[in-house]
Amino acid sequence: MIMLQCMFKIKRFNWISLCLLSCLTTQVFATQDVEYLDQPKWVVSHDFSNVDVSRLAADYLLFDKQVKVFDSQQIVYKRVVYRLNKNSAVEQLSDIFLGFDPAYETLQIHQVNVFRDGKTINRLIPGDVKVSEESSDYLMHTGRKQAKLLLRDIRKGDIIDYSYSVIGKNPVFDDKYTDSVSLKWGVPLVNLYYSVMIEKQRELFYKIHDIQGVKVKQYTDEQFRYYTLHLTNLEAVEEQSELPYWFSPYPYIELSEYKDWSEVANWAVQLFDVKLEADPDLQVFIKQLKSMEKEKAMDEAINFVQEEIRYLGLELGENSHRPHHPAQVFNNRYGDCKDKTLLLKILLSEIGIQSQPALVSSYQSQQLFKSLASPSVFDHVILWVDYKQGYWIDATKTHQSKRINTLYQPNYSAALLVNETTTKLVSAKPNNQYKKISVQENIYAGDYSSAVEIELITTYYGGAAERFRYQVEQDSMSQISDDFINYYRRIFPDIRASKQISVSDDINQNIMILHEQYMVPDYWKIKEGESSSGYELYNQMIGEYLVKPNQIKRFQPYAQQHPITVEYQSNLFISEWIDLGWPFEPLIVENEYFKLESVYKNDLRKISLTSLFQTKKDFVKADDIRQYIKDVEQAEENIYVNQSVTNVTTSKDYETVEKLLLHLNNNRVYKD
């Protein structure tokens, strides 16, 4: 599926490696868009500590962020000081990137100094400031710009000290202030200062996450209320690999002027409170919907918005959060998540179905329940449809079922319904999150040495069908065929297709079926000097989901793909009755995170291995990793069988037998 993002931008940052400076965005401006002024008088100056040179490429000596909120205005001042210890840092950190949105913000650069051999060198040269539009996703246009400062004559050992201010705020947020600042980075930081001064009659709520012992100092004077903190000698945060998408190891502080979720909901209500204008083309489409039975009209409206309104975000100024008018979106045939959601809401309302926009986070999941009330924690909008048991519809999804009762609903875990009665976040866990793959593998053998024919029938359900539907549309059938046969060649190097693959799609039931057929000359493993042939049954697709972490020694959770159900049956059909001679009990591996059940059976002319794999969670706790790995290894053993048939002879007429087998298999001779 195409991953789509919306401009409900969250203010929390993940600080990684050298890209940790919250002031270093990816933006550049022409010098006429930049002002060069002294540091504001209200800013409190802090000295930085010139600590001993470390082994790192760069030492970050100071990060200072000071915010002034007054008279519907906002000024954000930032200062950064770092030392370049190695030539690699000189190459990567000798240019400075500063960003703002010219629709409502002004950039002021105060100083750029270089300290070298006890001297201070001014490197703020307006002619060295280059300007361009912010480079953004081709599906997202924000109008933001970036100023790139190309610093001259930077050398190993230099200390770079620069500061700037961004003046202004997005009017879409009215007069309320919110913010979030990381309290540790991916590299050590000697001094971190953060302060907010806000008009005395206004109050900020704050919450500190994932760090102990941090105190916020509060005091007031005649005009302002102050919130300040100062942290020193901060160690680097180690971020392990393969983390769940919702987990961040970086501690942070969030601040918000919203006292509860009802205030945030009421703020959003006015964004989506749009009256339908008498647009002729839109009215024609609404008339068509009204002529249909209600549920069919609802399905048609959802499919139209998902498939016919392409994703494109024109998120300029207030439209970072305010949706465009539905008639404009309908006629332009493009929009982002909020645009498409509002259009769908209007269409459903016209056919008598109630729905509500819902603000969600695409990467915080259940962590959202820990957040302060703030619009900044959301980055996506979906629609709650109040029909029958209720549905969470993501209007940006594509290639979904054409019926609401069978389409796959992603689990955003938490949502804020946009209505005047909302008082809290609600669970956004969907009623239908069905994602299943069922594979039937039939192996037809005429003897115990010649080529076999393998028939694969793979059925995709729900979310798995939608993912495969997207793949089929994007790739040619020949490309898909090549991908599959190369996949199987990991096990059978000489495999070749005996029939062209075929795909059938029941989009109403959200089921896709893939048919494959191959000839495998090297299936049987003849043991030299013995009258026996070895065979293997391997439920390989399940093996794709039994994945062990690369980092075994863990203190952070490990991501597991979820939800997924895979059912795999491998059948070996042979030409004579055979009794393997022992009973087979089901093999079960089950823990907190997945369950695998396998059954190995011998039914006269058919030998089969059937496995059912189901995940339970999208993560594994760090403390459970060792046992999880043992369970995965046991599960891997249970989806694989390697046995032998004794008292057999090798056929010398390979080509003749191969042709005969193909004819017999096409007529299902070996099927029960």
Side-chain angles (χ1 to χ4, degrees):
M1 291 293 181
I2 299 175
M3 297 301 294
L4 302 174
Q5 294 182 342
C6 215
M7 275 300 293
F8 276 80
K9 294 295 185 186
I10 191 166
K11 300 300 182 184
R12 178 180 175 187
F13 300 96
N14 287 340
W15 302 88
I16 305 174
S17 185
L18 297 176
C19 302
L20 305 176
L21 307 178
S22 68
C23 49
L24 299 185
T25 64
T26 50
Q27 300 165 280
V28 186
F29 301 82
T31 52
Q32 63 265 29
D33 292 326
V34 181
E35 299 176 355
Y36 305 93
L37 298 173
D38 292 338
Q39 175 178 296
K41 296 184 182 301
W42 58 269
V43 169
V44 178
S45 296
H46 300 291
D47 294 330
F48 65 87
S49 302
N50 190 4
V51 297
D52 293 338
V53 176
S54 72
R55 295 183 178 181
L56 299 175
D59 291 325
Y60 293 89
L61 307 177
L62 181 142
F63 173 73
D64 183 12
K65 179 177 181 180
Q66 301 181 40
V67 183
K68 184 177 182 180
V69 184
F70 65 102
D71 296 336
S72 302
Q73 187 58 276
Q74 177 178 297
I75 303 175
V76 178
Y77 165 88
K78 293 180 183 178
R79 180 185 174 202
V80 180
V81 184
Y82 55 98
R83 179 174 53 217
L84 307 175
N85 300 332
K86 298 182 180 181
N87 288 330
S88 60
V90 173
E91 182 175 349
Q92 297 178 33
L93 299 174
S94 292
D95 299 327
I96 299 171
F97 303 84
L98 310 174
F100 76 94
D101 192 322
Y104 50 83
E105 292 176 333
T106 301
L107 174 65
Q108 293 181 350
I109 303 178
H110 307 309
Q111 67 170 20
V112 180
N113 291 326
V114 174
F115 299 99
R116 180 189 302 159
D117 300 329
K119 298 179 181 179
T120 302
I121 306 169
N122 177 24
R123 283 289 183 259
L124 181 51
I125 304 171
D128 290 347
V129 179
K130 306 301 179 184
V131 177
S132 70
E133 294 291 328
E134 180 180 59
S135 121
S136 58
D137 189 293
Y138 74 100
L139 294 176
M140 191 83 67
H141 302 278
T142 66
R144 291 182 62 86
K145 292 185 176 181
Q146 68 177 189
K148 183 176 183 179
L149 287 69
L150 306 175
L151 304 187
R152 302 181 185 183
D153 186 24
I154 300 300
R155 307 176 190 179
K156 184 172 69 173
D158 285 350
I159 295 177
I160 298 176
D161 178 358
Y162 68 91
S163 63
Y164 70 99
S165 295
V166 175
I167 302 170
K169 60 176 296 187
N170 193 334
V172 77
F173 292 112
D174 299 327
D175 292 331
K176 298 239 182 233
Y177 175 75
T178 64
D179 197 9
S180 179
V181 173
S182 178
L183 299 180
K184 281 190 177 183
W185 298 353
V187 293
L189 175 62
V190 179
N191 280 287
L192 183 149
Y193 292 91
Y194 177 54
S195 65
V196 178
M197 54 186 299
I198 191 168
E199 292 167 304
K200 189 175 181 179
Q201 69 273 18
R202 299 163 69 175
E203 183 179 6
L204 279 177
F205 303 92
Y206 68 88
K207 189 173 184 180
I208 297 171
H209 298 265
D210 306 323
I211 190 171
Q212 301 296 321
V214 174
K215 301 293 183 183
V216 175
K217 182 180 178 182
Q218 299 183 54
Y219 60 94
T220 61
D221 60 20
E222 292 182 356
Q223 289 184 287
F224 291 96
R225 186 186 303 271
Y226 297 84
Y227 302 80
T228 68
L229 63 81
H230 175 210
L231 303 179
T232 61
N233 299 317
L234 298 170
E235 296 180 351
V237 172
E238 181 181 350
E239 182 175 0
Q240 295 194 293
S241 64
E242 306 156 303
L243 296 174
Y245 71 92
W246 46 262
F247 177 82
S248 172
Y250 299 93
Y252 65 102
I253 180 173
E254 57 176 342
L255 300 93
S256 177
E257 222 177 329
Y258 294 85
K259 69 176 186 293
D260 54 35
W261 289 113
S262 64
E263 283 195 354
V264 180
N266 285 320
W267 163 80
V269 164
Q270 52 88 21
L271 298 179
F272 290 88
D273 186 16
V274 177
K275 293 183 180 179
L276 184 62
E277 296 177 355
D279 180 83
D281 293 333
L282 180 54
Q283 290 299 328
V284 168
F285 182 67
I286 290 173
K287 185 177 180 180
Q288 293 174 355
L289 294 178
K290 289 182 175 179
S291 67
M292 304 175 187
E293 181 270 328
K294 179 180 285 189
E295 185 166 315
K296 180 176 176 55
M298 175 179 58
D299 292 338
E300 182 65 27
I302 293 171
N303 183 66
F304 174 83
V305 173
Q306 288 184 330
E307 299 294 341
E308 302 301 326
I309 306 295
R310 67 185 174 96
Y311 186 90
L312 179 65
L314 296 183
E315 301 178 342
L316 310 175
E318 288 196 37
N319 288 118
S320 62
H321 293 73
R322 187 182 301 281
H324 294 86
H325 195 278
Q328 182 182 0
V329 176
F330 179 86
N331 288 308
N332 289 336
R333 289 296 199 271
Y334 61 69
D336 63 11
C337 62
K338 56 188 180 294
D339 299 328
K340 289 161 70 81
T341 294
L342 179 56
L343 173 59
L344 181 56
K345 177 182 183 298
I346 292 294
L347 295 177
L348 296 182
S349 177
E350 288 294 310
I351 59 175
I353 295 176
Q354 297 303 308
S355 62
Q356 302 171 55
L359 309 185
V360 298
S361 172
S362 64
Y363 63 92
Q364 286 211 92
S365 189
Q366 66 267 29
Q367 302 294 90
L368 204 60
F369 287 107
K370 301 178 182 179
S371 296
L372 283 181
S374 167
S376 299
V377 299
F378 303 107
D379 69 343
H380 194 46
V381 187
I382 60 175
L383 192 68
W384 166 252
V385 179
D386 189 9
Y387 182 78
K388 294 184 177 179
Q389 71 266 36
Y391 298 89
W392 299 97
I393 303 300
D394 190 335
T396 67
K397 291 290 184 184
T398 59
H399 301 85
Q400 292 207 281
S401 169
K402 289 189 175 182
R403 290 184 179 174
I404 193 170
N405 63 335
T406 58
L407 62 77
Y408 177 79
Q409 302 169 72
N411 183 11
Y412 290 104
S413 294
L416 186 73
L417 294 174
V418 179
N419 65 61
E420 295 176 347
T421 63
T422 290
T423 60
K424 62 181 180 179
L425 297 172
V426 298
S427 171
K429 186 176 181 180
N431 295 311
N432 179 14
Q433 205 187 13
Y434 191 50
K435 185 187 290 186
K436 179 181 177 181
I437 303 173
S438 178
V439 182
Q440 182 174 335
E441 178 183 38
N442 298 321
I443 305 167
Y444 301 103
D447 58 24
Y448 305 114
S449 60
S450 302
V452 301
E453 187 174 72
I454 298 180
E455 175 192 38
L456 286 145
I457 304 171
T458 306
T459 306
Y460 300 87
Y461 301 87
E466 292 168 9
R467 184 181 182 88
F468 186 56
R469 189 175 294 122
Y470 173 78
Q471 180 185 354
V472 169
E473 181 173 301
Q474 295 298 308
D475 300 331
S476 66
M477 293 303 292
S478 61
Q479 179 62 53
I480 293 174
S481 178
D482 288 344
D483 290 342
F484 276 109
I485 202 165
N486 287 329
Y487 174 80
Y488 299 132
R489 278 177 178 154
R490 297 182 303 175
I491 302 174
F492 304 116
D494 295 328
I495 190 173
R496 64 178 185 269
S498 56
K499 277 189 177 180
Q500 185 176 359
I501 66 171
S502 63
V503 176
S504 60
D505 186 359
D506 185 343
I507 198 167
N508 290 329
Q509 295 301 317
N510 213 9
I511 298 173
M512 294 193 72
I513 302 176
L514 170 69
H515 291 262
E516 306 166 80
Q517 196 163 307
Y518 303 98
M519 185 65 70
V520 182
D522 53 349
Y523 179 78
W524 295 101
K525 303 298 184 285
I526 308 299
K527 297 183 179 181
E528 295 295 333
E530 300 180 21
S531 58
S532 66
S533 289
Y535 65 89
E536 297 177 354
L537 297 178
Y538 177 37
N539 295 348
Q540 55 188 323
M541 183 171 286
I542 292 177
E544 298 297 317
Y545 295 94
L546 293 169
V547 182
K548 293 176 285 189
N550 293 321
Q551 282 187 280
I552 297 175
K553 186 177 181 181
R554 301 189 71 89
F555 47 87
Q556 293 167 355
Y558 168 67
Q560 174 181 258
Q561 184 169 335
H562 176 76
I564 187 68
T565 297
V566 182
E567 185 178 29
Y568 203 113
Q569 183 178 44
S570 297
N571 301 311
L572 173 59
F573 294 91
I574 52 182
S575 58
E576 59 184 358
W577 290 7
I578 187 170
D579 185 0
L580 295 181
W582 66 86
F584 303 98
E585 298 295 329
L587 302 173
I588 299 175
V589 179
E590 184 171 13
N591 54 39
E592 185 179 345
Y593 308 105
F594 70 83
K595 179 180 180 180
L596 174 77
E597 183 172 359
S598 295
V599 179
Y600 181 46
K601 294 173 60 177
N602 169 216
D603 184 14
L604 300 179
R605 291 191 301 123
K606 182 176 76 172
I607 303 169
S608 65
L609 174 65
T610 303
S611 300
L612 176 63
F613 174 78
Q614 295 173 297
T615 59
K616 299 181 180 181
K617 291 183 177 180
D618 67 353
F619 75 100
V620 180
K621 291 180 285 191
D623 291 344
D624 294 340
I625 283 295
R626 292 192 179 278
Q627 184 59 49
Y628 175 81
I629 291 173
K630 291 180 181 179
D631 290 343
V632 167
E633 291 173 345
Q634 181 62 58
E636 288 174 330
E637 293 182 9
N638 292 357
I639 60 171
Y640 176 75
V641 169
N642 184 349
Q643 295 287 340
S644 296
V645 179
T646 59
N647 299 319
V648 300
T649 58
T650 303
S651 172
K652 298 180 180 180
D653 302 317
Y654 168 77
E655 292 184 359
T656 302
V657 174
E658 181 183 40
K659 292 178 181 179
L660 175 61
L661 286 176
L662 182 59
H663 171 74
L664 295 176
N665 291 335
N666 286 338
N667 290 277
R668 301 292 192 264
V669 169
Y670 298 111
K671 284 203 169 185
D672 287 351

